[in-house]
Amino acid sequence: MTRYLARRLAHALVVTLCVTAVVFVLLHMLPGGPVRASLPINATPAQVAELTRQYGYDRPLHVQYGTWMWNLLRGDLGFSPQLNMPVRDAITERLPKTMTLMVLGIGASLLIGVPMGIYQAARRYQRSDYLLTGATFLSYAAPVFFVGLLLIDLLAVSFRVFPAGAPQGDSVAEILSQPNALVLPVATFAFCGFAQWSRFIRSATMDNLVQDYVRTARSIGASERQVLWVHVTRNSLITIVTLLGLHLPTLFAGAVIVETVFNYPGMGLMFWQAAQNHDYPILLGVVLFGTILTIVGSILADIGYAVLDPRVRLTA
């Protein structure tokens, strides 16, 4: 286990360096730039040149990247001129809100997707299975932003059941104190995520239903309900552990869209606003966090799978 973790951490360091270097170069190739975005439209060339020198954007790219990496090793992610605060503080402030939305979205999608997948496997190739399969394909095909806008138009504008905007506040407690405003963002997450869980659970359950231990359980008198919900479901849920770890970066990418559509004050909305304002420090900080989240999710998925299934050994 220790050797495996050491090797994965070494790979993670290389991946992080490569991703941040590529993103750093791509950001500086974009037209405009952070200096022009920070100044009024009638700024003089002298003002642009002075601010460029002050921020260090006049130096070669490799020097700028080296400086950014050196500051990163000391825990300094830079300073955001648009937010007028350190990037680390901005991420620390927005991260709990995004994690709250992601956890609620994952929980809602699992509550829908897992029972649906088990139900489909138990009634495989029947009419109900085909109908639910069509619903999952619809979820796969629907863009996240379209689902959010459709829910706003239907439940906020037409019927006025829920507010169109997401809850606002400086803390997670304030966000959770407005449950009505959380319904539509969480529902958007759940609708766009339950299909993946249901399809994988359906496949895993169907594979387990033909295993020897299922026939043994039936031969000793276990009912079909016991076989399905006690024996088969427990083994099928191992697939979810792997998917949860690998699904973290996808959820974070979805948070960018959901938070932008509903004006939710999390990291996703901050990333979108930073992209519009050419706020390089914020963009690099969020990309770094997403890279680390992807690596950590992959490692946790491997460890969780090895813990739940004793036949798996972490030797890679």
Side-chain angles (χ1 to χ4, degrees), residues 254-265:
V256 176
I257 302 175
V258 173
E259 292 181 7
T260 302
V261 170
F262 291 96
N263 194 34
Y264 183 87

Side-chain angles (χ1 to χ4, degrees), residues 20 50 64 79 97 103 142 159 163 183 196-197 216:
T20 54
E50 174 60 26
Q64 295 184 47
F79 186 85
K97 303 173 187 177
V103 169
F159 293 99
V183 171
Q196 184 174 16
W197 310 125
T216 302

Side-chain angles (χ1 to χ4, degrees), residues 232-297:
V232 175
T233 300
R234 182 173 56 186
N235 290 327
S236 300
L237 288 177
I238 296 177
T239 307
I240 295 296
V241 175
T242 305
L243 288 176
L244 279 174
L246 299 177
H247 201 54
L248 286 178
T250 305
L251 287 171
F252 182 71
V256 176
I257 302 175
V258 173
E259 292 181 7
T260 302
V261 170
F262 291 96
N263 194 34
Y264 183 87
M267 282 185 61
L269 181 60
M270 181 178 68
F271 182 82
W272 171 256
Q273 293 171 340
Q276 291 181 312
N277 297 322
H278 294 81
D279 195 340
Y280 291 175
I282 289 291
L283 293 174
L284 286 169
V286 176
V287 168
L288 176 65
F289 173 80
T291 303
I292 295 175
L293 189 67
T294 302
I295 295 169
V296 171

Side-chain angles (χ1 to χ4, degrees), residues 37-295:
S38 303
L39 292 173
I41 192 171
N42 58 349
T44 64
Q47 291 174 320
V48 174
E50 174 60 26
L51 204 59
T52 300
R53 184 194 61 79
Q54 180 179 340
Y55 288 157
Y57 293 126
D58 58 336
R59 293 177 294 176
L61 278 182
H62 67 277
V63 176
Q64 295 184 47
Y65 180 73
T67 302
W68 183 79
M69 286 299 302
W70 173 249
N71 292 333
L72 177 63
L73 294 176
R74 298 185 299 169
D76 182 10
L77 293 175
F79 186 85
S80 169
Q82 298 292 332
L83 300 179
N84 195 29
M85 63 188 305
V87 175
R88 182 175 57 184
D89 294 345
I91 292 178
T92 303
E93 178 184 325
R94 302 290 188 100
L95 178 58
K97 303 173 187 177
T98 295
M99 295 304 297
T100 300
L101 181 62
M102 289 173 59
V103 169
L104 292 175
I106 293 174
S109 62
L110 286 174
L111 288 175
I112 299 172
V114 172
M116 181 182 292
I118 297 173
Y119 177 85
Q120 288 184 258
R123 291 162 176 77
R124 54 194 177 278
Y125 309 127
Q126 297 181 15
R127 181 177 300 178
S128 58
D129 180 28
Y130 292 132
L131 290 175
L132 292 176
T133 297
T136 57
F137 286 159
L138 178 64
S139 174
Y140 269 125
V144 179
F145 74 91
F146 176 77
V147 174
L149 293 176
L150 185 63
L151 290 178
I152 291 174
D153 182 66
L154 182 64
L155 298 178
V157 177
S158 298
F159 293 99
R160 300 184 179 180
V161 180
F162 302 106
Q168 304 296 313
D170 297 329
S171 64
V172 174
E174 294 182 23
I175 296 294
L176 294 177
S177 66
Q178 307 168 56
N180 285 345
L182 271 173
V183 171
L184 293 186
V186 172
T188 303
F189 249 122
F191 182 82
C192 296
F194 84 92
Q196 184 174 16
W197 310 125
S198 66
R199 297 306 296 172
F200 277 97
I201 281 293
R202 178 183 181 275
S203 177
T205 302
M206 289 177 60
D207 290 340
N208 280 278
L209 282 172
V210 298
Q211 297 299 318
D212 292 337
Y213 75 88
V214 173
R215 288 192 290 269
T216 302
R218 287 170 175 163
S219 66
I220 62 177
S223 65
E224 285 299 318
R225 182 181 296 272
Q226 290 177 322
V227 169
L228 182 63
W229 293 102
V230 177
H231 301 286
V232 175
T233 300
R234 182 173 56 186
N235 290 327
S236 300
L237 288 177
I238 296 177
T239 307
I240 295 296
V241 175
T242 305
L243 288 176
L244 279 174
L246 299 177
H247 201 54
L248 286 178
T250 305
L251 287 171
F252 182 71
V256 176
I257 302 175
V258 173
E259 292 181 7
T260 302
V261 170
F262 291 96
N263 194 34
Y264 183 87
M267 282 185 61
L269 181 60
M270 181 178 68
F271 182 82
W272 171 256
Q273 293 171 340
Q276 291 181 312
N277 297 322
H278 294 81
D279 195 340
Y280 291 175
I282 289 291
L283 293 174
L284 286 169
V286 176
V287 168
L288 176 65
F289 173 80
T291 303
I292 295 175
L293 189 67
T294 302
I295 295 169

